Amino acid sequence: DQARTEAHAVIRDLSAGTPAFDRLTLTRELPDAIVNGEMFLQYQPKVHVRRQQIASAEALVRWQHPTRGLILPGDFITVAEEAREISALTLWTLEKVIADQKLIAADGNDLTIFINISGQLLADVRFVKQMCTRVVESGARIGLEITETSVIRDPESAIANLQAFADVGIAIAIDDYGAGLSSLAYLKQLPARELKIDKMFVLQLTSSNRDPLIVRSTIDLAHALEMEVTAEGVETQAAMALLSVMGCDMVQGYLISRPVSIEAFRQFLRDDKAR
Ligand code: C2E
Ligand code: CA
Ligand code: CA
Ligand code: CA
């Protein structure tokens, strides 16, 4: 019986998320994967509700593994963080975004592209310098999405580094607002102009009693702090309508577009312009 219980526990572990042995393999494979071009980006637009215009885009990284197929960031970002590969991966992402933004500009479109930044990197002075240097050199319009939780660890250096980004014209957005430990105390100290409400409050917006209250008060709070609000995970017209009434500034989600390849994203922007 003991053996059977253990066997069941193993099966449960294997089916839940990334099993331990898999993580080890991914850790070994990750550095080469970046160099071998197995990583690629998808883009998802954020749309301005009142202006009915594309406001910006978010770059999301994916790993096309030669034998395992497509791996989503939920399964390898923490691996990259633990393996100290997250700086290399993020700098690779930046280079790709700079190149893709040039393609978008050649189509006559011009928009800021946001990159997700792990909390770990907000304490990495070398990374901050490299990032700022490349953004200034390239003249790219870059934004960073950071979570509140990443600021709490070492607020002083995080705030200083965020200010360094802001000083070279990098836009800062607070990601996943409400999902982690809330840091209202820091919120007003951050040089962020945008607050993204986590999709956990948006997905059931029109069927829950509690979520509309949370979303509405978050929008009001952000506006009081002179920040723009983005709701992520907007999947239905009903959610969109409610968010519009609540004064939400921008929306992002499957209703508008799933994350798509750079080719599909350029087409999306061209179609939008022709409309
Ligand atoms: P996130 O920044 O909160 O990204 C939003 C996630 O929600 C994405 O998942 C996106 O595909 C998904 N999503 C977008 N619209 C909808 C919708 O309408 N409904 C639903 N159900 N989901 C939607 P994805 O691409 O799997 O990314 C997961 C997380 O991985 C991201 O969460 C982000 O924290 C992290 N990540 C992605 N790329 C990078 C990166 O380059 N660096 C770092 N450090 N983290 C990254
Ligand atoms: Ca994000
Ligand atoms: Ca988010
Ligand atoms: Ca998230």
Side-chain angles (χ1 to χ4, degrees), residues 140-159:
R141 284 175 58 184
I142 301 296
L144 304 181
E145 297 196 357
I146 60 136
T147 62
E148 322 158 72
T149 341
S150 60
V151 177
I152 297 174
R153 265 180 243 163
D154 182 359
E156 229 169 279
S157 82
I159 292 169

Side-chain angles (χ1 to χ4, degrees), residues 58-105:
E58 176 176 5
L60 294 153
V61 69
R62 279 90 181 78
W63 183 354
Q64 188 62 55
H65 194 282
T67 56
R68 271 184 259 229
L70 181 68
I71 311 180
L72 289 174
D75 285 326
F76 67 84
I77 291 296
T78 55
V79 172
E81 288 170 352
E82 283 160 19
R84 300 267 148 200
E85 286 291 330
I86 193 68
S87 170
L89 179 59
T90 307
L91 290 168
W92 173 86
T93 301
L94 174 66
E95 290 310 319
K96 186 76 176 97
V97 164
I98 291 171
D100 287 346
Q101 196 170 53
K102 285 189 182 138
L103 297 174
I104 290 169

Side-chain angles (χ1 to χ4, degrees), residues 16 22 51 57 71 73 119 157 183 215 226 235 251 259-260 269-270 275:
D22 239 350
R51 294 185 214 132
I71 311 180
S157 82
S183 57
V215 169
E226 291 174 330
E235 295 186 350
V251 289
V260 294
L269 293 174
R270 286 193 290 257
R275 197 165 47 91

